[in-house]
Amino acid sequence: MGNPPLDLCPDDPLQAASWEERRLKALEETGLLDSGADLAFDDLAALAAQVCVTRLAFVVLVAKDRLWFKSAHGSPLREYPRHGSFCDAAIRGKGILAISDLAEDARFADHPMVRENGLRFYASAPIRSPGSQILGTLAVLDRTPRPLEEAQAQGLSRLARQCDNLIALRGLLSDLEQVVSHRTQALRATEARLSGFMQHAPITMSVKDLDGRYLMVNRASERFYGRPAAEILGRRISDIETSGGAAAINELEADMRIAGKALTREICYERDGGKRWYRDIKFPIPDESGATIAMGGIGVEITATKLAQEELIDAKEHAEAANQAKSQFLANMSHELRTPLNAILGFSEILARGALGPVGPEKTKAYAGDIHESGRLLLNIINDILDLSKIEAGRMALSEAPCDLSDIARGALNLVANAAQAKSIRLVNAVPADLPMVQADERALTQILLNLVNNAVKFTLPGGEIKVEGALVNRGDVGDGIAIAVSDTGIGIASEDIPLVFSAFGQVQDAFVRGHEGAGLGLPIARALAEVQGGKLDLHSRVGIGTRVTLWLPKERIIHG
């Protein structure tokens, strides 16, 4: 393929300015400007002078404000002002510029090189970049006027093309040097990373030849064998491992070579009077043709896993049995307790209303009121236990319908208004009235929010504030949805205690629960009710600052009006 057409200077001034920008950029990209001497360019300049029979020849690069001579045959000059120069006119022409007598050319008759230095003859051919931008000229000059012969013009053009090729070659070599340099650096960096990975990996890693001799081991292998690499390399495992693990490794490697693929086995080694179990992986290392030339090995210690496996199975079975027994016990006991508690509530209500006559009315009412409140508290606890048992057993039946979160939040705050007023706690409902409705179980949502605001009232000191907010949100971990958050300025929970408050019957000791009644089921039930509807319940808290609990429901439950 030939070079693209020469990028000639347009006649239009605006286009000429753009042409000049392209040309200067191409010149800068060559890296030749102000570079050192180059014998190849010197030879081309000398040949040009010889072909055209001149005293002077230059390889000229035309910069923004100056002519810089990459090669100057017959002259010590290295640069010259560009303005009004012969070369400036030449690069704006259509090809070879030949002036038989500069003194007779109106453009250059008064030029200092003509008037003072006696130059009379000038000829040049353009030098171009690989992209065909004109970078300068191959120019010949002399003090004797003469025409440029056709053969000389052809020779000058050919030599100029050799300059083009030389520039392209220099650029290609520079690019290749950069590529080689970058790849060498990348290769070294990769080798360093691979070496670092292998040496610092907490697992044994090795490479063996096909006779089973170690070619490479990492530090974990040195620690495993209790020997430095120098005492391992070149030896077989049977030379350094006396336990039955050596035979098992040899068998694994033989099977791997037959299978032609990676194989894994659990192998036991005797160490320090005990056993150490490893999950050993052996795999073939092929050459470019696919033939196996070495064997790779990785060993992961699983001793702790092996020893704990049976204990873990036993513990899991015991935990499952205990959990099932707990759920069954709570369900049975709750059923048995509910009937007498309802009777206690009924009789205590009669006593509280004075239905039995004026027998110590004030004292009777007080006792009856205490009995009534105690019975109600026990019934609430039993109801919580039953709800949690139903959820855990997967028997919680949801009745889904369109729900207005703003109304539910308002209702929950109304239910705790008296308790909050008694402690001078400010209640703030910041749930937007235009928040979209959701398809959910209204009773479950109400119970969630009521549990949250009840907790907030319990653990917020007098004079504090409780705020309920709602918004459409995007959570990076679960995606788009809708959220209701209950924030308080209460005593807060330490971060290490947060998992405890979400466990059934879990209560944080100290200031968080001291002086407050309850079974510790509010948050577990709230989270379980949220999750059974595909939602999440998150708690963030700081001791002495407050707590924020957020109920999040997925976008699938949002009803778009």
Side-chain angles (χ1 to χ4, degrees):
M1 295 179 62
N3 291 327
L6 194 63
D7 188 9
L8 298 174
C9 180
D11 294 329
D12 180 81
L14 290 177
Q15 293 181 3
S18 176
W19 169 84
E20 175 70 3
E21 288 180 5
R22 294 195 302 272
R23 195 190 65 76
L24 291 175
K25 181 180 179 183
L27 176 59
E28 181 182 359
E29 289 174 352
T30 66
L32 291 174
L33 204 60
D34 297 316
S35 60
D38 192 318
L39 183 60
F41 284 105
D42 291 343
D43 287 344
L44 290 173
L47 282 171
Q50 185 176 345
V51 168
C52 297
V53 194
T54 60
R55 291 179 56 194
L56 304 173
F58 298 88
V59 176
V60 186
L61 299 177
V62 182
K64 182 178 181 181
D65 300 313
R66 61 184 174 129
L67 310 178
W68 186 78
F69 305 135
K70 177 63 180 171
S71 179
H73 176 75
S75 172
L77 280 177
R78 298 303 298 168
E79 62 179 48
Y80 194 81
R82 174 181 173 180
H83 181 67
S85 65
F86 312 141
C87 287
D88 187 52
I91 65 171
R92 298 176 186 277
K94 306 302 182 183
I96 287 183
L97 174 64
I99 304 174
S100 300
D101 191 345
L102 291 166
E104 298 298 327
D105 191 305
R107 293 173 296 175
F108 305 113
D110 290 331
H111 194 282
M113 283 293 188
V114 178
R115 190 178 64 252
E116 299 173 9
N117 294 318
L119 292 180
R120 302 293 292 275
F121 170 75
Y122 174 86
S124 67
I127 295 173
R128 61 184 182 177
S129 70
S132 287
Q133 285 79 33
I134 298 175
L135 306 178
T137 64
L138 176 60
V140 292
L141 300 95
D142 203 86
R143 289 187 172 88
T144 303
R146 91 274 304 275
L148 181 68
E149 303 295 340
E150 179 62 27
Q152 292 174 332
Q154 291 179 2
L156 189 61
S157 292
R158 289 190 178 100
L159 291 173
R161 286 196 294 273
Q162 291 305 310
C163 288
D164 300 346
N165 294 336
L166 191 56
I167 290 171
L169 181 60
R170 293 289 189 270
L172 180 60
L173 288 175
S174 176
D175 292 344
L176 287 175
E177 287 174 356
Q178 290 185 12
V179 169
V180 170
S181 175
H182 290 160
R183 289 185 178 178
T184 300
Q185 292 176 10
L187 180 59
R188 288 173 179 169
T190 299
E191 289 176 346
R193 285 194 293 269
L194 287 175
S195 176
F197 168 77
M198 183 172 180
Q199 293 303 327
H200 294 284
I203 58 177
T204 63
M205 302 177 72
S206 64
V207 177
K208 295 180 179 181
D209 64 19
L210 298 182
D211 290 328
R213 293 183 177 87
Y214 284 102
L215 301 175
M216 184 184 302
V217 294
N218 68 346
R219 293 173 187 169
S221 297
E222 293 179 315
R223 291 192 294 269
F224 176 75
Y225 290 121
R227 301 166 182 258
E231 296 181 11
I232 301 174
L233 300 181
R235 305 175 70 181
R236 296 183 176 89
I237 188 171
S238 55
D239 299 328
I240 54 178
E241 175 64 44
T242 58
S243 74
I249 286 292
N250 288 332
E251 182 181 350
L252 174 59
E253 290 173 348
D255 291 345
M256 177 272 296
R257 293 190 61 184
I258 293 172
K261 63 181 181 180
L263 294 180
T264 303
R265 285 180 191 161
E266 294 179 355
I267 295 177
C268 180
Y269 302 85
E270 284 77 26
R271 285 289 186 280
D272 302 325
K275 294 182 178 181
R276 290 178 66 178
W277 284 88
Y278 273 75
R279 181 172 289 113
D280 282 300
I281 305 169
K282 296 295 179 179
F283 53 92
I285 300 176
D287 61 11
E288 293 181 356
S289 66
T292 299
I293 58 172
M295 299 181 291
I298 297 173
V300 181
E301 185 168 9
I302 57 171
T303 304
T305 304
K306 277 283 187 180
L307 295 176
Q309 195 170 31
E310 292 184 2
E311 296 178 6
L312 183 61
I313 293 174
D314 290 343
K316 183 174 180 293
E317 291 176 350
H318 283 111
E320 289 175 348
N323 188 61
Q324 184 177 0
K326 179 208 72 173
S327 297
Q328 187 64 42
F329 171 78
L330 291 176
N332 293 339
M333 288 302 297
S334 298
H335 178 74
E336 295 297 326
L337 290 173
R338 181 174 284 179
T339 300
L341 281 173
N342 279 327
I344 292 172
L345 285 171
F347 283 119
S348 64
E349 189 172 2
I350 292 173
L351 288 172
R353 293 176 179 176
L356 296 180
V359 180
E362 295 302 324
K363 198 167 185 179
T364 300
K365 286 183 179 181
Y367 287 153
D370 290 340
I371 293 171
H372 180 70
E373 289 304 317
S374 298
R376 185 177 298 278
L377 175 61
L378 288 174
L379 185 60
N380 287 338
I381 292 173
I382 291 172
N383 285 334
D384 284 347
I385 293 172
L386 285 173
D387 285 342
L388 187 60
S389 297
K390 285 181 181 179
I391 295 171
E392 289 181 347
R395 293 186 289 106
M396 173 63 73
L398 297 178
S399 178
E400 294 186 0
C403 300
D404 189 327
L405 293 175
S406 179
D407 287 344
I408 293 174
R410 186 182 306 109
L413 289 174
N414 287 340
L415 289 174
V416 300
N418 289 337
Q421 185 177 4
K423 296 176 68 177
S424 300
I425 295 173
R426 181 169 175 257
L427 300 179
V428 178
N429 184 359
V431 178
D434 60 350
L435 195 66
M437 298 183 73
V438 295
Q439 184 75 12
D441 187 309
E442 184 171 354
R443 185 190 68 82
L445 293 183
T446 300
Q447 186 172 357
I448 292 171
L449 281 179
L450 190 57
N451 284 351
L452 298 184
V453 294
N454 262 325
N455 277 349
V457 171
K458 277 184 185 180
F459 305 116
T460 298
L461 298 176
E465 179 182 282
I466 297 170
K467 179 186 287 187
V468 183
E469 302 166 276
L472 295 174
V473 296
N474 177 277
R475 285 181 41 159
D477 55 339
V478 287
D480 295 333
I482 193 168
I484 294 290
V486 177
S487 305
D488 64 55
T489 58
I491 58 179
I493 309 170
S495 58
E496 62 270 18
D497 289 330
I498 290 177
L500 179 61
V501 301
F502 278 112
S503 62
F505 305 100
Q507 289 186 332
V508 177
Q509 298 305 313
D510 253 352
F512 182 74
V513 75
R514 189 182 296 123
H516 297 288
E517 59 189 11
L521 293 173
L523 284 175
I525 289 175
R527 171 172 277 186
L529 288 173
E531 291 176 350
V532 79
Q533 299 182 88
K536 300 276 185 182
L537 193 74
D538 295 328
L539 184 149
H540 299 277
S541 185
R542 291 180 64 185
V543 174
I545 295 178
T547 301
R548 181 182 179 88
V549 187
T550 303
L551 165 66
W552 175 88
L553 294 173
K555 63 181 180 181
E556 290 78 9
R557 290 197 171 273
I558 300 174
I559 300 174
H560 296 282

